[in-house]
Amino acid sequence: MLFVHVLTALTLAGSIAAIPFRVPPPQSKRDVNPALVPSFGWQSGVNPDGTGNCDGAVDGTNGKPILIPCSCPPNSTFFLANLNKNVAAGFVTTNPTVKVSFPTDDSTASQLARLNAAAVTLQNLEGPGVGCPISSTTFSAQGKTISAGTSTNGNSSAAMPTPASATPAGFGVSTSSSATSAAVPTSITSNNSSASPTDEQIATLAPPLGWQAGINPDGTGNCDGAVDGTNGKPILIPCQCPPDQTNYIANLTANVRAGHVILNPTVQLTFPTDNSTASQSARLNAAAVTLQNLNGAGKGCPIVSTTFSAQQKAINAENTS
């Protein structure tokens, strides 16, 4: 009898071992649901001007489409792959100071967070600040629709970058085209919890614009910006950009006092006064979103009208040295 039981057990064991074990194909558990990814609402290559620029999805203050690189927006497969990497990491992998989240519920805050994740992925596709501008999409209009659609969940900490920029990592409205821009974080929070800074501290610690308005006007309202494009020539900016120092500091001070951009309240900011990397980046972010919303939501100057990009790179370099 013992022999029979042992033989039976061995037979069963052999049968079980003979059942093929199927290993599911590897996949990321954190890949986003494509159905929740904001659509570009635009396509590349619209109305090329022969110099590498095409019409964007947003009109400038002159009533004409803001020019964008003809390669923008990117191929959707390429974009989704980059978005998946960033969401899995919790930050933009090509610009790690920029944090992202991709919640899946339908609250206002979550929809804005997803839109923000898409926006910063777009703007940093090839590296810090090297990507496509928001004005190559309808993200701005989508953000406004989301914010207007619900009031119960309106206090979102995941603010959508403000509308329409002609600079890939800038969010302000410009009438010029661009191929590169600032690697200024879209949302930086410092651990500094000290008292609100004084007006003198804000003026002293405000990142310098590093450029002046009206350089080399082309006769159409555009002037040279502070950053060169991929063609080696300065990216064009509105000739009134950047603003004068008095206007810049006055607006920055008002926004810091409010804790958000007054003319675009969904955009939160802080202005810590210590010298940590996070605090320096937070101050640079406060300056950037102030600049981009000087005259209303998304109506301001592009980041390439300043040296903010170079300043951010220097801050990041100090942190890694």
Side-chain angles (χ1 to χ4, degrees):
M1 290 293 293
L2 178 61
F3 174 76
V4 173
H5 286 303
V6 172
L7 181 61
T8 302
L10 289 174
T11 302
L12 289 173
S15 300
I16 294 171
I19 298 173
F21 178 68
R22 296 199 308 170
V23 179
Q27 65 179 42
S28 172
K29 293 181 179 180
R30 299 188 66 180
D31 276 3
V32 303
N33 180 353
L36 295 177
V37 177
S39 64
F40 291 141
W42 198 250
Q43 63 185 38
S44 61
V46 175
N47 194 25
D49 67 359
T51 66
N53 295 320
C54 288
D55 286 356
V58 180
D59 289 344
T61 53
N62 61 358
K64 298 179 179 180
I66 295 173
L67 296 180
I68 61 173
C70 284
S71 58
C72 295
N75 172 277
S76 58
T77 302
F78 175 70
F79 172 74
L80 184 58
N82 279 270
L83 179 62
N84 280 329
K85 286 194 300 183
N86 294 341
V87 171
F91 55 82
V92 177
T93 55
T94 56
N95 195 359
T97 58
V98 181
K99 307 302 181 185
V100 299
S101 64
F102 201 89
T104 57
D105 66 275
D106 201 39
S107 68
T108 298
S110 293
Q111 292 180 70
L112 289 174
R114 294 195 295 268
L115 198 54
N116 178 69
V120 295
T121 293
L122 181 75
Q123 295 163 327
N124 297 275
L125 280 172
E126 305 289 352
V130 183
C132 288
I134 294 296
S135 54
S136 66
T137 71
T138 59
F139 286 174
S140 170
Q142 293 177 50
K144 289 180 179 178
T145 299
I146 292 168
S147 297
T150 309
S151 58
T152 55
N153 295 311
N155 294 327
S156 170
S157 60
M160 162 65 185
T162 55
S165 167
T167 59
F171 316 128
V173 168
S174 166
T175 57
S176 62
S177 65
S178 75
T180 63
S181 181
V184 178
T186 59
S187 178
I188 293 290
T189 303
S190 169
N191 292 327
N192 181 46
S193 58
S194 60
S196 179
T198 66
D199 288 359
E200 288 184 358
Q201 286 177 313
I202 295 172
T204 299
L205 294 174
L209 297 170
W211 199 249
Q212 63 185 39
I215 295 179
N216 193 25
D218 68 358
T220 66
N222 293 321
C223 287
D224 286 355
V227 178
D228 288 345
T230 54
N231 60 0
K233 297 179 180 180
I235 295 171
L236 296 180
I237 61 173
C239 283
Q240 70 269 24
C241 293
D244 65 76
Q245 185 73 4
T246 301
N247 186 15
Y248 164 56
I249 295 299
N251 279 272
L252 177 60
T253 302
N255 291 342
V256 171
R257 293 278 170 263
H260 59 261
V261 177
I262 292 175
L263 297 178
N264 196 358
T266 60
V267 181
Q268 307 296 308
L269 58 84
T270 60
F271 199 89
T273 57
D274 66 276
N275 201 41
S276 67
T277 299
S279 292
Q280 291 181 69
S281 292
R283 294 195 295 268
L284 197 55
N285 177 68
V289 295
T290 292
L291 181 75
Q292 295 161 330
N293 297 275
L294 280 173
N295 302 310
K299 298 178 181 178
C301 290
I303 296 298
V304 290
S305 65
T306 72
T307 59
F308 287 175
S309 173
Q311 293 177 50
Q312 184 64 56
K313 288 180 180 178
I315 291 170
N316 294 342
E318 288 178 4
N319 187 45
T320 56
S321 60

